[in-house]
Amino acid sequence: MVTILTPTYNRAKTLPKLIESLCGQTSTNFQWLVIDDGSTDDTDSIFERLKNYNLPFQWEYHKKENGGKHTALNFAHAYIKGEVVLILDSDDYLTDDAIETVEKEWPLYRNCADICGMSYFRGKKDGSHLSVANAQDVYIDDDIHYRVNQKIKGDRCEVVRTVLLKKNPFPVYQGERFFPEGWFWNTLAMNYKTVYRNKTIYICEYLEGGLTKSGRALRMKCPLGMMDDCRMYLDNRVCIRRRVKEMLLYWVYAKCAGYSFGKTLSTSGRPVGMMLTALPGMMLYSYWKRKYLK
């Protein structure tokens, strides 16, 4: 069984389209798990009314205090029933054959211990997709070598083993309501590979106020989590170009967190490289502070 995991916050207007896409799935052997991250709109009423309908799939709705998407994903662990998890944002929806596709293709890799999951295209309503197609329809590699080092940009739809999602909870820092999901995929890439597919099963609807459009100001207000994310890119498996970029960012977030020069060096794990990037890193912090933290 597949668990579709939807963390949501004040998306009552977009949930009906998502629900419609789930009801239209060609295979309904899945669990839909919704974690409401403290919505203040009509979200809870939608699910109260949903109890009156005989939906063709299993579903659960749980509400928690607002803490950010990463805390909603952690909160979901206790309720996941599926062998694999597909994270579906509440302002997006699935193609009709999404679950059927996963059901047919995941068994090919279920017993491969070095495979953490599968990655499909996210597309737009106009039929285009957000990432670069591979030369092969099926390509297997780890996320760092494939996406980070080769600069393959664009959001994708990941399907991951439930056991790995539960083994790698997102770090949570008091007062920080954002933590990048890329940290999780890079963590898995240290030990596992992903099956990349040239197939769209997920349709995006990026909205104002969503995490995708929140930008640098949000990240600078969550510096401890962003420093965790930067450290993932300072591993030797990451190309030097990206490591230098992340060292500069580490200086920015360390300054936002109030770290001293010495503490920044010692916590980075790359003191020599951090010394070499100190001046441009602090200059970048000063510029971004004026521009984004007015």
PDB file of all heavy atoms in Angstrom, residues 164-188:
ATOM      1  N   LEU A 164      12.550   4.518   6.024  1.00  0.00           N
ATOM      2  CA  LEU A 164      13.607   5.514   5.945  1.00  0.00           C
ATOM      3  C   LEU A 164      13.104   6.895   6.335  1.00  0.00           C
ATOM      4  O   LEU A 164      13.851   7.698   6.918  1.00  0.00           O
ATOM      5  CB  LEU A 164      14.208   5.540   4.534  1.00  0.00           C
ATOM      6  CG  LEU A 164      14.909   4.254   4.108  1.00  0.00           C
ATOM      7  CD1 LEU A 164      15.460   4.385   2.691  1.00  0.00           C
ATOM      8  CD2 LEU A 164      16.037   3.903   5.074  1.00  0.00           C
ATOM      9  N   LEU A 165      11.860   7.187   6.022  1.00  0.00           N
ATOM     10  CA  LEU A 165      11.272   8.461   6.459  1.00  0.00           C
ATOM     11  C   LEU A 165      11.242   8.523   7.984  1.00  0.00           C
ATOM     12  O   LEU A 165      11.574   9.547   8.585  1.00  0.00           O
ATOM     13  CB  LEU A 165       9.860   8.615   5.891  1.00  0.00           C
ATOM     14  CG  LEU A 165       9.123   9.902   6.257  1.00  0.00           C
ATOM     15  CD1 LEU A 165       9.803  11.117   5.625  1.00  0.00           C
ATOM     16  CD2 LEU A 165       7.655   9.840   5.827  1.00  0.00           C
ATOM     17  N   LYS A 166      10.878   7.403   8.601  1.00  0.00           N
ATOM     18  CA  LYS A 166      10.774   7.367  10.063  1.00  0.00           C
ATOM     19  C   LYS A 166      12.149   7.362  10.735  1.00  0.00           C
ATOM     20  O   LYS A 166      12.299   7.865  11.854  1.00  0.00           O
ATOM     21  CB  LYS A 166       9.973   6.141  10.493  1.00  0.00           C
ATOM     22  CG  LYS A 166       8.500   6.201  10.111  1.00  0.00           C
ATOM     23  CD  LYS A 166       7.744   4.984  10.629  1.00  0.00           C
ATOM     24  CE  LYS A 166       6.261   5.086  10.313  1.00  0.00           C
ATOM     25  NZ  LYS A 166       5.495   3.928  10.838  1.00  0.00           N
ATOM     26  N   LYS A 167      13.141   6.792  10.085  1.00  0.00           N
ATOM     27  CA  LYS A 167      14.488   6.732  10.666  1.00  0.00           C
ATOM     28  C   LYS A 167      15.221   8.063  10.596  1.00  0.00           C
ATOM     29  O   LYS A 167      16.238   8.247  11.269  1.00  0.00           O
ATOM     30  CB  LYS A 167      15.325   5.664   9.957  1.00  0.00           C
ATOM     31  CG  LYS A 167      15.018   4.236  10.386  1.00  0.00           C
ATOM     32  CD  LYS A 167      15.971   3.264   9.709  1.00  0.00           C
ATOM     33  CE  LYS A 167      15.745   1.831  10.185  1.00  0.00           C
ATOM     34  NZ  LYS A 167      16.671   0.877   9.513  1.00  0.00           N
ATOM     35  N   ASN A 168      14.727   8.977   9.773  1.00  0.00           N
ATOM     36  CA  ASN A 168      15.421  10.247   9.566  1.00  0.00           C
ATOM     37  C   ASN A 168      14.475  11.432   9.773  1.00  0.00           C
ATOM     38  O   ASN A 168      14.178  12.179   8.826  1.00  0.00           O
ATOM     39  CB  ASN A 168      16.017  10.293   8.157  1.00  0.00           C
ATOM     40  CG  ASN A 168      17.065   9.228   7.926  1.00  0.00           C
ATOM     41  OD1 ASN A 168      18.215   9.378   8.315  1.00  0.00           O
ATOM     42  ND2 ASN A 168      16.667   8.131   7.281  1.00  0.00           N
ATOM     43  N   PRO A 169      13.993  11.631  11.000  1.00  0.00           N
ATOM     44  CA  PRO A 169      13.095  12.763  11.252  1.00  0.00           C
ATOM     45  C   PRO A 169      13.814  14.096  11.049  1.00  0.00           C
ATOM     46  O   PRO A 169      15.031  14.203  11.244  1.00  0.00           O
ATOM     47  CB  PRO A 169      12.697  12.565  12.716  1.00  0.00           C
ATOM     48  CG  PRO A 169      13.836  11.816  13.321  1.00  0.00           C
ATOM     49  CD  PRO A 169      14.300  10.877  12.236  1.00  0.00           C
ATOM     50  N   PHE A 170      13.064  15.096  10.661  1.00  0.00           N
ATOM     51  CA  PHE A 170      13.638  16.420  10.462  1.00  0.00           C
ATOM     52  C   PHE A 170      14.012  17.039  11.806  1.00  0.00           C
ATOM     53  O   PHE A 170      13.235  16.972  12.756  1.00  0.00           O
ATOM     54  CB  PHE A 170      12.631  17.332   9.754  1.00  0.00           C
ATOM     55  CG  PHE A 170      12.399  16.983   8.317  1.00  0.00           C
ATOM     56  CD1 PHE A 170      11.386  16.100   7.954  1.00  0.00           C
ATOM     57  CD2 PHE A 170      13.190  17.530   7.307  1.00  0.00           C
ATOM     58  CE1 PHE A 170      11.167  15.777   6.629  1.00  0.00           C
ATOM     59  CE2 PHE A 170      12.971  17.211   5.980  1.00  0.00           C
ATOM     60  CZ  PHE A 170      11.963  16.326   5.643  1.00  0.00           C
ATOM     61  N   PRO A 171      15.185  17.652  11.901  1.00  0.00           N
ATOM     62  CA  PRO A 171      15.531  18.382  13.121  1.00  0.00           C
ATOM     63  C   PRO A 171      14.539  19.529  13.347  1.00  0.00           C
ATOM     64  O   PRO A 171      14.064  20.140  12.383  1.00  0.00           O
ATOM     65  CB  PRO A 171      16.935  18.923  12.831  1.00  0.00           C
ATOM     66  CG  PRO A 171      17.477  18.031  11.760  1.00  0.00           C
ATOM     67  CD  PRO A 171      16.288  17.651  10.924  1.00  0.00           C
ATOM     68  N   VAL A 172      14.245  19.797  14.590  1.00  0.00           N
ATOM     69  CA  VAL A 172      13.296  20.855  14.938  1.00  0.00           C
ATOM     70  C   VAL A 172      13.962  21.813  15.911  1.00  0.00           C
ATOM     71  O   VAL A 172      14.517  21.386  16.931  1.00  0.00           O
ATOM     72  CB  VAL A 172      12.012  20.276  15.572  1.00  0.00           C
ATOM     73  CG1 VAL A 172      11.064  21.399  15.981  1.00  0.00           C
ATOM     74  CG2 VAL A 172      11.316  19.326  14.600  1.00  0.00           C
ATOM     75  N   TYR A 173      13.917  23.099  15.589  1.00  0.00           N
ATOM     76  CA  TYR A 173      14.485  24.133  16.453  1.00  0.00           C
ATOM     77  C   TYR A 173      13.379  25.078  16.905  1.00  0.00           C
ATOM     78  O   TYR A 173      12.539  25.500  16.091  1.00  0.00           O
ATOM     79  CB  TYR A 173      15.567  24.913  15.711  1.00  0.00           C
ATOM     80  CG  TYR A 173      16.775  24.074  15.363  1.00  0.00           C
ATOM     81  CD1 TYR A 173      16.931  23.558  14.068  1.00  0.00           C
ATOM     82  CD2 TYR A 173      17.737  23.775  16.317  1.00  0.00           C
ATOM     83  CE1 TYR A 173      18.033  22.777  13.745  1.00  0.00           C
ATOM     84  CE2 TYR A 173      18.843  22.992  15.999  1.00  0.00           C
ATOM     85  CZ  TYR A 173      18.983  22.500  14.725  1.00  0.00           C
ATOM     86  OH  TYR A 173      20.063  21.717  14.403  1.00  0.00           O
ATOM     87  N   GLN A 174      13.391  25.402  18.175  1.00  0.00           N
ATOM     88  CA  GLN A 174      12.349  26.262  18.744  1.00  0.00           C
ATOM     89  C   GLN A 174      12.310  27.604  18.016  1.00  0.00           C
ATOM     90  O   GLN A 174      13.342  28.251  17.818  1.00  0.00           O
ATOM     91  CB  GLN A 174      12.608  26.491  20.233  1.00  0.00           C
ATOM     92  CG  GLN A 174      11.494  27.260  20.932  1.00  0.00           C
ATOM     93  CD  GLN A 174      11.722  27.340  22.435  1.00  0.00           C
ATOM     94  OE1 GLN A 174      12.723  26.864  22.954  1.00  0.00           O
ATOM     95  NE2 GLN A 174      10.778  27.938  23.146  1.00  0.00           N
ATOM     96  N   GLY A 175      11.119  27.985  17.615  1.00  0.00           N
ATOM     97  CA  GLY A 175      10.925  29.261  16.955  1.00  0.00           C
ATOM     98  C   GLY A 175      11.173  29.243  15.454  1.00  0.00           C
ATOM     99  O   GLY A 175      10.937  30.251  14.784  1.00  0.00           O
ATOM    100  N   GLU A 176      11.658  28.145  14.909  1.00  0.00           N
ATOM    101  CA  GLU A 176      11.918  28.049  13.471  1.00  0.00           C
ATOM    102  C   GLU A 176      10.838  27.198  12.817  1.00  0.00           C
ATOM    103  O   GLU A 176      10.686  26.024  13.145  1.00  0.00           O
ATOM    104  CB  GLU A 176      13.305  27.466  13.197  1.00  0.00           C
ATOM    105  CG  GLU A 176      14.433  28.359  13.702  1.00  0.00           C
ATOM    106  CD  GLU A 176      15.796  27.975  13.134  1.00  0.00           C
ATOM    107  OE1 GLU A 176      15.870  27.049  12.310  1.00  0.00           O
ATOM    108  OE2 GLU A 176      16.788  28.616  13.536  1.00  0.00           O
ATOM    109  N   ARG A 177      10.106  27.792  11.885  1.00  0.00           N
ATOM    110  CA  ARG A 177       8.988  27.106  11.253  1.00  0.00           C
ATOM    111  C   ARG A 177       9.269  26.671   9.818  1.00  0.00           C
ATOM    112  O   ARG A 177       8.358  26.338   9.076  1.00  0.00           O
ATOM    113  CB  ARG A 177       7.733  27.990  11.302  1.00  0.00           C
ATOM    114  CG  ARG A 177       7.120  28.055  12.689  1.00  0.00           C
ATOM    115  CD  ARG A 177       5.873  28.927  12.728  1.00  0.00           C
ATOM    116  NE  ARG A 177       5.089  28.680  13.915  1.00  0.00           N
ATOM    117  CZ  ARG A 177       5.376  29.139  15.128  1.00  0.00           C
ATOM    118  NH1 ARG A 177       6.463  29.875  15.294  1.00  0.00           N
ATOM    119  NH2 ARG A 177       4.610  28.868  16.165  1.00  0.00           N
ATOM    120  N   PHE A 178      10.533  26.677   9.451  1.00  0.00           N
ATOM    121  CA  PHE A 178      10.894  26.186   8.123  1.00  0.00           C
ATOM    122  C   PHE A 178      12.155  25.347   8.228  1.00  0.00           C
ATOM    123  O   PHE A 178      13.108  25.695   8.945  1.00  0.00           O
ATOM    124  CB  PHE A 178      11.139  27.342   7.145  1.00  0.00           C
ATOM    125  CG  PHE A 178      11.679  26.884   5.810  1.00  0.00           C
ATOM    126  CD1 PHE A 178      10.832  26.308   4.872  1.00  0.00           C
ATOM    127  CD2 PHE A 178      13.028  26.996   5.505  1.00  0.00           C
ATOM    128  CE1 PHE A 178      11.318  25.852   3.652  1.00  0.00           C
ATOM    129  CE2 PHE A 178      13.528  26.557   4.299  1.00  0.00           C
ATOM    130  CZ  PHE A 178      12.672  25.985   3.364  1.00  0.00           C
ATOM    131  N   PHE A 179      12.165  24.229   7.508  1.00  0.00           N
ATOM    132  CA  PHE A 179      13.354  23.395   7.386  1.00  0.00           C
ATOM    133  C   PHE A 179      13.320  22.788   5.989  1.00  0.00           C
ATOM    134  O   PHE A 179      12.311  22.213   5.585  1.00  0.00           O
ATOM    135  CB  PHE A 179      13.367  22.288   8.450  1.00  0.00           C
ATOM    136  CG  PHE A 179      14.700  21.614   8.590  1.00  0.00           C
ATOM    137  CD1 PHE A 179      15.595  22.011   9.575  1.00  0.00           C
ATOM    138  CD2 PHE A 179      15.087  20.595   7.725  1.00  0.00           C
ATOM    139  CE1 PHE A 179      16.841  21.408   9.707  1.00  0.00           C
ATOM    140  CE2 PHE A 179      16.323  19.989   7.835  1.00  0.00           C
ATOM    141  CZ  PHE A 179      17.204  20.397   8.833  1.00  0.00           C
ATOM    142  N   PRO A 180      14.399  22.896   5.218  1.00  0.00           N
ATOM    143  CA  PRO A 180      14.383  22.448   3.814  1.00  0.00           C
ATOM    144  C   PRO A 180      14.257  20.936   3.676  1.00  0.00           C
ATOM    145  O   PRO A 180      14.989  20.179   4.321  1.00  0.00           O
ATOM    146  CB  PRO A 180      15.722  22.942   3.267  1.00  0.00           C
ATOM    147  CG  PRO A 180      16.586  23.117   4.477  1.00  0.00           C
ATOM    148  CD  PRO A 180      15.679  23.512   5.599  1.00  0.00           C
ATOM    149  N   GLU A 181      13.357  20.506   2.806  1.00  0.00           N
ATOM    150  CA  GLU A 181      13.188  19.073   2.563  1.00  0.00           C
ATOM    151  C   GLU A 181      14.414  18.457   1.889  1.00  0.00           C
ATOM    152  O   GLU A 181      14.648  17.253   1.997  1.00  0.00           O
ATOM    153  CB  GLU A 181      11.954  18.834   1.694  1.00  0.00           C
ATOM    154  CG  GLU A 181      10.634  19.039   2.423  1.00  0.00           C
ATOM    155  CD  GLU A 181       9.449  18.726   1.543  1.00  0.00           C
ATOM    156  OE1 GLU A 181       9.300  17.557   1.148  1.00  0.00           O
ATOM    157  OE2 GLU A 181       8.686  19.665   1.241  1.00  0.00           O
ATOM    158  N   GLY A 182      15.198  19.286   1.197  1.00  0.00           N
ATOM    159  CA  GLY A 182      16.393  18.770   0.547  1.00  0.00           C
ATOM    160  C   GLY A 182      17.343  18.090   1.514  1.00  0.00           C
ATOM    161  O   GLY A 182      18.083  17.180   1.125  1.00  0.00           O
ATOM    162  N   TRP A 183      17.323  18.519   2.777  1.00  0.00           N
ATOM    163  CA  TRP A 183      18.168  17.890   3.796  1.00  0.00           C
ATOM    164  C   TRP A 183      17.877  16.397   3.882  1.00  0.00           C
ATOM    165  O   TRP A 183      18.793  15.578   3.996  1.00  0.00           O
ATOM    166  CB  TRP A 183      17.909  18.551   5.152  1.00  0.00           C
ATOM    167  CG  TRP A 183      18.550  17.858   6.307  1.00  0.00           C
ATOM    168  CD1 TRP A 183      19.792  18.099   6.827  1.00  0.00           C
ATOM    169  CD2 TRP A 183      17.993  16.790   7.091  1.00  0.00           C
ATOM    170  NE1 TRP A 183      20.046  17.248   7.882  1.00  0.00           N
ATOM    171  CE2 TRP A 183      18.961  16.435   8.070  1.00  0.00           C
ATOM    172  CE3 TRP A 183      16.778  16.111   7.079  1.00  0.00           C
ATOM    173  CZ2 TRP A 183      18.741  15.423   9.005  1.00  0.00           C
ATOM    174  CZ3 TRP A 183      16.562  15.103   7.999  1.00  0.00           C
ATOM    175  CH2 TRP A 183      17.533  14.764   8.954  1.00  0.00           C
ATOM    176  N   PHE A 184      16.603  16.034   3.819  1.00  0.00           N
ATOM    177  CA  PHE A 184      16.211  14.632   3.938  1.00  0.00           C
ATOM    178  C   PHE A 184      16.720  13.826   2.751  1.00  0.00           C
ATOM    179  O   PHE A 184      17.303  12.747   2.919  1.00  0.00           O
ATOM    180  CB  PHE A 184      14.692  14.521   4.039  1.00  0.00           C
ATOM    181  CG  PHE A 184      14.177  13.110   4.019  1.00  0.00           C
ATOM    182  CD1 PHE A 184      14.337  12.280   5.112  1.00  0.00           C
ATOM    183  CD2 PHE A 184      13.528  12.595   2.893  1.00  0.00           C
ATOM    184  CE1 PHE A 184      13.870  10.974   5.100  1.00  0.00           C
ATOM    185  CE2 PHE A 184      13.059  11.296   2.869  1.00  0.00           C
ATOM    186  CZ  PHE A 184      13.234  10.488   3.989  1.00  0.00           C
ATOM    187  N   TRP A 185      16.553  14.341   1.532  1.00  0.00           N
ATOM    188  CA  TRP A 185      16.966  13.590   0.347  1.00  0.00           C
ATOM    189  C   TRP A 185      18.487  13.489   0.284  1.00  0.00           C
ATOM    190  O   TRP A 185      19.029  12.463  -0.156  1.00  0.00           O
ATOM    191  CB  TRP A 185      16.407  14.259  -0.914  1.00  0.00           C
ATOM    192  CG  TRP A 185      14.935  14.442  -0.832  1.00  0.00           C
ATOM    193  CD1 TRP A 185      14.248  15.631  -0.810  1.00  0.00           C
ATOM    194  CD2 TRP A 185      13.937  13.417  -0.684  1.00  0.00           C
ATOM    195  NE1 TRP A 185      12.910  15.402  -0.674  1.00  0.00           N
ATOM    196  CE2 TRP A 185      12.683  14.065  -0.593  1.00  0.00           C
ATOM    197  CE3 TRP A 185      13.978  12.026  -0.618  1.00  0.00           C
ATOM    198  CZ2 TRP A 185      11.492  13.363  -0.451  1.00  0.00           C
ATOM    199  CZ3 TRP A 185      12.786  11.317  -0.470  1.00  0.00           C
ATOM    200  CH2 TRP A 185      11.571  11.985  -0.392  1.00  0.00           C
ATOM    201  N   ASN A 186      19.205  14.517   0.737  1.00  0.00           N
ATOM    202  CA  ASN A 186      20.664  14.429   0.772  1.00  0.00           C
ATOM    203  C   ASN A 186      21.137  13.440   1.831  1.00  0.00           C
ATOM    204  O   ASN A 186      22.146  12.751   1.640  1.00  0.00           O
ATOM    205  CB  ASN A 186      21.264  15.807   1.052  1.00  0.00           C
ATOM    206  CG  ASN A 186      21.155  16.730  -0.144  1.00  0.00           C
ATOM    207  OD1 ASN A 186      20.991  16.298  -1.280  1.00  0.00           O
ATOM    208  ND2 ASN A 186      21.229  18.034   0.105  1.00  0.00           N
ATOM    209  N   THR A 187      20.409  13.371   2.937  1.00  0.00           N
ATOM    210  CA  THR A 187      20.741  12.395   3.979  1.00  0.00           C
ATOM    211  C   THR A 187      20.645  10.977   3.415  1.00  0.00           C
ATOM    212  O   THR A 187      21.538  10.141   3.618  1.00  0.00           O
ATOM    213  CB  THR A 187      19.807  12.545   5.185  1.00  0.00           C
ATOM    214  OG1 THR A 187      19.981  13.847   5.765  1.00  0.00           O
ATOM    215  CG2 THR A 187      20.099  11.489   6.248  1.00  0.00           C
ATOM    216  N   LEU A 188      19.571  10.697   2.688  1.00  0.00           N
ATOM    217  CA  LEU A 188      19.404   9.366   2.091  1.00  0.00           C
ATOM    218  C   LEU A 188      20.467   9.100   1.031  1.00  0.00           C
ATOM    219  O   LEU A 188      20.926   7.966   0.874  1.00  0.00           O
ATOM    220  CB  LEU A 188      18.008   9.240   1.476  1.00  0.00           C
ATOM    221  CG  LEU A 188      16.816   9.283   2.433  1.00  0.00           C
ATOM    222  CD1 LEU A 188      15.534   8.931   1.683  1.00  0.00           C
ATOM    223  CD2 LEU A 188      17.001   8.358   3.620  1.00  0.00           C
TER     224      LEU A 188
END
